[in-house]
Amino acid sequence: MHVHLLIRVVLVQCFIALSFLTLEAPAQEADEAPLLEGKAFIRKLPPQHKDDGGSGYELVYVVELPLDVYWRFKTDFDNDFLTTNKFIKAHRLISQDNNVAVTEDIFSDDLYPHKPNAKFRWQTTLFPTQYRLDFVLLNPAECGQKFHHGSIQLEAAGASGQKTKVTQTAYFDFFGVSFWVNYPWYGGMKYFLTYTAQWEQDIVLRLKSHYIQKSAQ
Protein backbone atom coordinates (compact mmCIF):
# COMPACT_ATOMS: atom_id res chain seq x y z
CA MET A 1 0.00 0.00 0.00
CA HIS A 2 1.31 3.47 -0.85
CA VAL A 3 2.71 5.17 2.28
CA HIS A 4 0.52 8.29 1.91
CA LEU A 5 -2.61 6.17 1.53
CA LEU A 6 -1.60 4.12 4.55
CA ILE A 7 -1.21 7.29 6.63
CA ARG A 8 -4.65 8.50 5.54
CA VAL A 9 -6.24 5.18 6.49
CA VAL A 10 -4.60 5.27 9.92
CA LEU A 11 -5.77 8.85 10.49
CA VAL A 12 -9.36 7.98 9.55
CA GLN A 13 -9.27 5.00 11.90
CA CYS A 14 -8.02 7.27 14.70
CA PHE A 15 -10.83 9.77 14.06
CA ILE A 16 -13.37 6.94 14.12
CA ALA A 17 -11.96 5.61 17.39
CA LEU A 18 -12.09 9.07 19.00
CA SER A 19 -15.65 9.57 17.77
CA PHE A 20 -16.61 6.20 19.22
CA LEU A 21 -15.31 7.24 22.64
CA THR A 22 -17.22 10.50 22.51
CA LEU A 23 -20.47 8.78 21.60
CA GLU A 24 -20.08 6.37 24.50
CA ALA A 25 -20.55 9.18 27.07
CA PRO A 26 -23.51 8.07 29.26
CA ALA A 27 -26.32 10.31 28.04
CA GLN A 28 -28.74 9.12 30.70
CA GLU A 29 -26.35 10.38 33.40
CA ALA A 30 -25.80 13.78 31.80
CA ASP A 31 -26.04 16.82 34.07
CA GLU A 32 -29.38 18.55 33.72
CA ALA A 33 -27.85 22.04 33.50
CA PRO A 34 -26.21 21.56 30.05
CA LEU A 35 -29.38 19.86 28.81
CA LEU A 36 -31.48 22.82 29.92
CA GLU A 37 -29.06 25.12 28.10
CA GLY A 38 -29.79 23.29 24.85
CA LYS A 39 -26.98 20.74 24.62
CA ALA A 40 -27.78 17.34 23.15
CA PHE A 41 -26.18 14.17 24.51
CA ILE A 42 -25.54 11.15 22.32
CA ARG A 43 -24.17 7.73 23.04
CA LYS A 44 -23.72 4.66 20.91
CA LEU A 45 -25.61 1.54 22.03
CA PRO A 46 -24.68 -2.08 21.36
CA PRO A 47 -27.25 -4.33 19.66
CA GLN A 48 -30.39 -4.76 21.74
CA HIS A 49 -29.96 -8.54 21.54
CA LYS A 50 -26.52 -10.08 20.98
CA ASP A 51 -27.67 -12.06 17.94
CA ASP A 52 -29.35 -9.10 16.23
CA GLY A 53 -26.28 -7.36 14.89
CA GLY A 54 -26.40 -3.71 13.90
CA SER A 55 -26.10 -0.84 16.32
CA GLY A 56 -28.11 1.75 18.22
CA TYR A 57 -28.06 5.14 19.89
CA GLU A 58 -29.54 7.11 22.73
CA LEU A 59 -30.22 10.80 22.09
CA VAL A 60 -31.21 13.13 24.95
CA TYR A 61 -32.15 16.81 24.65
CA VAL A 62 -34.54 19.40 26.10
CA VAL A 63 -37.07 21.56 24.26
CA GLU A 64 -38.63 24.85 25.41
CA LEU A 65 -42.20 23.58 25.62
CA PRO A 66 -44.24 22.17 28.52
CA LEU A 67 -44.83 18.43 28.36
CA ASP A 68 -48.51 18.54 27.30
CA VAL A 69 -47.82 21.11 24.60
CA TYR A 70 -44.80 19.28 23.25
CA TRP A 71 -46.81 16.05 23.14
CA ARG A 72 -49.22 17.81 20.77
CA PHE A 73 -46.29 18.82 18.57
CA LYS A 74 -44.66 15.39 18.61
CA THR A 75 -47.88 13.56 17.75
CA ASP A 76 -48.92 15.92 14.93
CA PHE A 77 -48.13 13.49 12.13
CA ASP A 78 -50.07 15.34 9.43
CA ASN A 79 -47.68 18.26 9.14
CA ASP A 80 -45.45 20.08 6.68
CA PHE A 81 -42.81 21.34 9.10
CA LEU A 82 -40.71 18.15 8.96
CA THR A 83 -39.43 19.05 5.51
CA THR A 84 -37.70 22.11 6.98
CA ASN A 85 -35.21 19.57 8.33
CA LYS A 86 -32.51 19.54 5.63
CA PHE A 87 -32.26 15.75 5.77
CA ILE A 88 -35.97 15.16 5.05
CA LYS A 89 -37.11 15.66 1.44
CA ALA A 90 -40.74 14.58 1.84
CA HIS A 91 -43.18 13.56 4.57
CA ARG A 92 -46.80 12.45 4.58
CA LEU A 93 -49.33 10.82 6.87
CA ILE A 94 -50.66 7.58 5.38
CA SER A 95 -53.13 6.60 8.08
CA GLN A 96 -53.99 7.11 11.74
CA ASP A 97 -56.28 4.87 13.74
CA ASN A 98 -56.64 5.65 17.44
CA ASN A 99 -53.10 5.50 18.82
CA VAL A 100 -51.36 4.04 15.77
CA ALA A 101 -50.08 6.23 12.94
CA VAL A 102 -48.33 5.26 9.71
CA THR A 103 -46.19 7.89 8.01
CA GLU A 104 -43.82 8.00 5.06
CA ASP A 105 -40.55 9.90 4.75
CA ILE A 106 -37.99 10.37 1.99
CA PHE A 107 -34.55 11.31 3.29
CA SER A 108 -31.83 13.28 1.53
CA ASP A 109 -29.17 11.54 -0.53
CA ASP A 110 -26.59 12.85 1.94
CA LEU A 111 -28.10 10.63 4.62
CA TYR A 112 -28.94 7.56 2.54
CA PRO A 113 -26.84 7.73 -0.65
CA HIS A 114 -27.17 3.99 -1.26
CA LYS A 115 -30.99 4.19 -1.42
CA PRO A 116 -31.93 7.51 -3.07
CA ASN A 117 -35.62 8.41 -2.82
CA ALA A 118 -36.45 5.30 -0.79
CA LYS A 119 -39.81 5.71 0.96
CA PHE A 120 -39.39 4.92 4.65
CA ARG A 121 -42.75 3.79 6.02
CA TRP A 122 -42.95 4.14 9.81
CA GLN A 123 -45.53 2.83 12.25
CA THR A 124 -45.70 4.83 15.47
CA THR A 125 -47.71 3.66 18.49
CA LEU A 126 -48.69 6.28 21.05
CA PHE A 127 -48.94 5.74 24.81
CA PRO A 128 -50.43 9.07 25.95
CA THR A 129 -50.56 8.34 29.69
CA GLN A 130 -46.84 7.46 29.60
CA TYR A 131 -45.86 10.20 27.14
CA ARG A 132 -44.11 7.56 25.06
CA LEU A 133 -43.96 6.74 21.36
CA ASP A 134 -42.73 3.44 19.92
CA PHE A 135 -41.74 3.37 16.25
CA VAL A 136 -40.79 0.67 13.76
CA LEU A 137 -39.79 0.72 10.09
CA LEU A 138 -42.39 -1.35 8.23
CA ASN A 139 -40.48 -1.79 4.96
CA PRO A 140 -36.80 -2.18 5.91
CA ALA A 141 -35.83 -4.24 2.85
CA GLU A 142 -37.08 -1.51 0.48
CA CYS A 143 -34.91 0.97 2.38
CA GLY A 144 -31.76 -1.13 2.37
CA GLN A 145 -32.08 -2.02 6.06
CA LYS A 146 -32.50 -5.23 8.03
CA PHE A 147 -34.51 -3.56 10.81
CA HIS A 148 -35.02 -0.19 12.47
CA HIS A 149 -37.10 0.41 15.59
CA GLY A 150 -37.05 2.41 18.80
CA SER A 151 -38.88 4.63 21.24
CA ILE A 152 -39.21 8.25 22.34
CA GLN A 153 -39.84 8.96 26.02
CA LEU A 154 -40.89 12.42 27.19
CA GLU A 155 -40.82 13.89 30.70
CA ALA A 156 -41.18 17.31 32.28
CA ALA A 157 -37.92 19.18 32.85
CA GLY A 158 -36.75 22.37 34.51
CA ALA A 159 -37.50 23.78 37.95
CA SER A 160 -40.97 24.90 36.90
CA GLY A 161 -41.67 21.95 34.62
CA GLN A 162 -42.08 24.27 31.63
CA LYS A 163 -39.64 22.34 29.48
CA THR A 164 -39.60 18.78 28.15
CA LYS A 165 -36.77 16.26 28.22
CA VAL A 166 -36.71 13.97 25.18
CA THR A 167 -34.96 10.59 25.27
CA GLN A 168 -34.91 8.82 21.92
CA THR A 169 -33.53 5.30 21.60
CA ALA A 170 -33.19 3.39 18.33
CA TYR A 171 -31.74 0.12 17.05
CA PHE A 172 -30.99 -0.56 13.38
CA ASP A 173 -28.90 -2.54 10.94
CA PHE A 174 -27.92 -1.91 7.32
CA PHE A 175 -24.91 -2.22 5.05
CA GLY A 176 -22.15 0.08 6.33
CA VAL A 177 -23.84 0.68 9.69
CA SER A 178 -20.56 0.66 11.64
CA PHE A 179 -19.08 3.29 9.35
CA TRP A 180 -22.16 5.54 9.61
CA VAL A 181 -22.34 5.23 13.40
CA ASN A 182 -18.67 6.13 13.87
CA TYR A 183 -18.20 8.64 11.03
CA PRO A 184 -17.56 11.97 12.83
CA TRP A 185 -18.34 14.39 9.98
CA TYR A 186 -21.26 15.58 7.87
CA GLY A 187 -23.78 12.83 7.18
CA GLY A 188 -22.63 10.57 10.02
CA MET A 189 -24.81 9.59 12.96
CA LYS A 190 -23.42 12.12 15.44
CA TYR A 191 -23.82 15.01 12.99
CA PHE A 192 -27.32 13.94 11.96
CA LEU A 193 -28.59 13.52 15.54
CA THR A 194 -27.00 16.74 16.79
CA TYR A 195 -28.44 18.69 13.86
CA THR A 196 -31.90 17.13 14.27
CA ALA A 197 -32.05 17.92 18.01
CA GLN A 198 -31.05 21.54 17.33
CA TRP A 199 -33.49 21.79 14.43
CA GLU A 200 -36.34 20.57 16.63
CA GLN A 201 -35.40 22.94 19.46
CA ASP A 202 -35.68 25.80 16.95
CA ILE A 203 -38.87 24.66 15.18
CA VAL A 204 -40.85 24.20 18.41
CA LEU A 205 -40.15 27.83 19.32
CA ARG A 206 -41.47 28.98 15.94
CA LEU A 207 -44.61 26.85 16.28
CA LYS A 208 -45.03 27.28 20.04
CA SER A 209 -48.12 29.49 19.99
CA HIS A 210 -49.92 27.15 17.58
CA TYR A 211 -49.53 24.10 19.82
CA ILE A 212 -50.29 26.05 22.99
CA GLN A 213 -53.64 26.94 21.40
CA LYS A 214 -54.25 23.33 20.36
CA SER A 215 -53.51 21.99 23.84
CA ALA A 216 -55.92 24.53 25.34
CA GLN A 217 -58.82 23.40 23.14
Side-chain angles (χ1 to χ4, degrees), residues 71-72 74-78 93-103 123-129 132-134:
W71 176 259
R72 291 278 187 176
K74 201 65 173 176
T75 58
D76 183 5
F77 299 105
D78 190 12
L93 173 65
I94 296 176
S95 65
Q96 186 162 7
D97 184 17
N98 294 322
N99 288 335
V100 178
V102 177
T103 56
Q123 178 177 287
T124 304
T125 304
L126 284 59
F127 301 91
T129 60
R132 176 187 173 96
L133 302 92
D134 288 354

Side-chain angles (χ1 to χ4, degrees), residues 51-122:
D51 296 330
D52 284 351
S55 190
Y57 67 78
E58 181 184 55
L59 167 66
V60 185
Y61 58 99
V62 169
V63 295
E64 299 278 342
L65 277 183
L67 181 57
D68 288 339
V69 179
Y70 180 73
W71 176 259
R72 291 278 187 176
F73 166 85
K74 201 65 173 176
T75 58
D76 183 5
F77 299 105
D78 190 12
N79 70 78
D80 55 10
F81 62 74
L82 276 177
T83 54
T84 65
N85 182 316
K86 66 182 179 181
F87 289 110
I88 301 177
K89 295 167 62 175
H91 166 81
R92 72 185 181 101
L93 173 65
I94 296 176
S95 65
Q96 186 162 7
D97 184 17
N98 294 322
N99 288 335
V100 178
V102 177
T103 56
E104 186 178 85
D105 296 319
I106 299 176
F107 294 98
S108 72
D109 295 347
D110 292 339
L111 194 61
Y112 288 106
H114 61 296
K115 277 289 182 178
N117 297 316
K119 296 179 179 179
F120 287 68
R121 195 164 295 116
W122 305 96

Side-chain angles (χ1 to χ4, degrees), residues 32 36 62-68 155-165 208:
E32 187 176 65
L36 294 175
V62 169
V63 295
E64 299 278 342
L65 277 183
L67 181 57
D68 288 339
E155 56 186 294
S160 59
Q162 294 303 298
K163 300 181 180 183
T164 300
K165 178 182 176 183
K208 184 175 182 177

